[in-house]
């Protein structure tokens, strides 16, 4: 029974990935708004309902890493090592994603970045996802803050951190659209990310997880 369930789950993941890959190819070739669910279903050789069962929103077909994106900062805080400050965990997590050229921090390739940039729907959805990312981080910082901290402190910290996060994401997209290779983008972003880390560290100084400070 366990083997059967494992195979079934594996098949579901394969189908989901196939649909996502077919959709991405069509979006890049034709544009997001111009591509229909019916065309995606035909390309993936599945029913339209199968597509919408796996992806209730058309935008999710293009932005398939949305859950990892919206929850990533919050998880870096909640799953950090004992004794590690939240801001340190966030900086470490971003550096690892940058060196890994992760799509979660903006490494999507020029064709995909251009497709998103050309789509008003996806551009709006990306703004929503950044907002959800900030909300999730604020919740994680609130859960970690001492009762003596001002109620607005974790939300203010999340707003500052996510403003820097958005800036770095857009910077990676900007350089990608300019034709820079991933290794070149990494080299350019390391000192820029370090600069922002210093600015944030100064802005958030004096607020630890036990005394209200998040960096």
């Amino acid at each position: 029974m366990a083997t059967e369930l494992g195979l079934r789950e594996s098949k579901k993941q394969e189908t989901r990935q196939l649909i996502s890959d077919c959709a991405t190819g069509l979006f890049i070739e034709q544009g997001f708004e111009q591509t229909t669910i019916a065309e995606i279903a035909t390309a993936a050789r599945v029913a339209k309902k199968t597509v919408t069962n796996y992806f209730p929103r058309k935008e999710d077909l293009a932005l398939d890493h949305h859950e990892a994106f919206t929850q990533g900062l919050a998880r870096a805080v909640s799953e950090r090592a004992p004794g590690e400050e939240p801001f340190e965990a966030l900086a470490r997590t971003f550096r690892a994603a940058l060196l890994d050229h992760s799509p979660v921090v903006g490494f999507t390739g020029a064709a995909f970045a251009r497709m998103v940039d050309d789509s008003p729907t996806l551009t709006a959805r990306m703004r929503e996802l950044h907002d959800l990312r900030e909300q999730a981080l604020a919740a994680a910082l609130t859960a970690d803050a001492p009762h003596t901290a001002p109620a607005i402190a974790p939300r203010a910290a999340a707003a500052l951190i996510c403003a820097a996060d958005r800036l770095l994401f857009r910077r990676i997209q900007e350089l990608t659209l300019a034709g820079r290779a991933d290794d070149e983008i990494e080299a350019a972003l390391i000192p820029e990310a370090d600069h922002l880390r210093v600015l944030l560290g100064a802005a958030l100084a004096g607020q630890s997880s036990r005394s209200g400070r998040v960096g």
Side-chain angles (χ1 to χ4, degrees), residues 39-115:
E39 289 175 317
I40 295 167
T42 298
R45 297 184 179 181
V46 298
K48 283 178 61 176
K49 185 158 184 62
T50 301
V51 175
T52 55
N53 281 342
Y54 280 98
F55 300 94
R57 295 181 59 154
K58 184 181 175 185
E59 297 96 309
D60 293 342
L61 283 156
L63 306 173
D64 194 20
H65 297 280
H66 63 278
E67 196 275 339
F69 180 80
T70 58
Q71 299 301 315
L73 298 181
R75 285 176 181 155
V77 170
S78 61
E79 298 174 4
R80 70 189 189 278
E84 185 177 30
E85 293 292 345
F87 186 55
E88 293 171 355
L90 290 166
R92 174 179 52 77
T93 300
F94 176 82
R95 177 60 66 96
L98 177 64
L99 296 179
D100 194 41
H101 300 170
S102 170
V104 174
V105 293
F107 286 94
T108 60
F112 189 92
R114 190 168 295 108
M115 180 266 292

Side-chain angles (χ1 to χ4, degrees), residues 20 23 37 54 58 76 94 168 193-194:
S20 177
I37 297 297
Y54 280 98
K58 184 181 175 185
F94 176 82
L168 291 171
D194 286 345

Side-chain angles (χ1 to χ4, degrees), residues 20-52:
S20 177
D21 290 345
C22 289
T24 299
L26 288 171
F27 291 152
I28 290 173
E29 180 183 347
Q30 303 177 173
F32 178 80
E33 274 79 12
Q34 292 73 27
T35 301
T36 67
I37 297 297
E39 289 175 317
I40 295 167
T42 298
R45 297 184 179 181
V46 298
K48 283 178 61 176
K49 185 158 184 62
T50 301
V51 175
T52 55

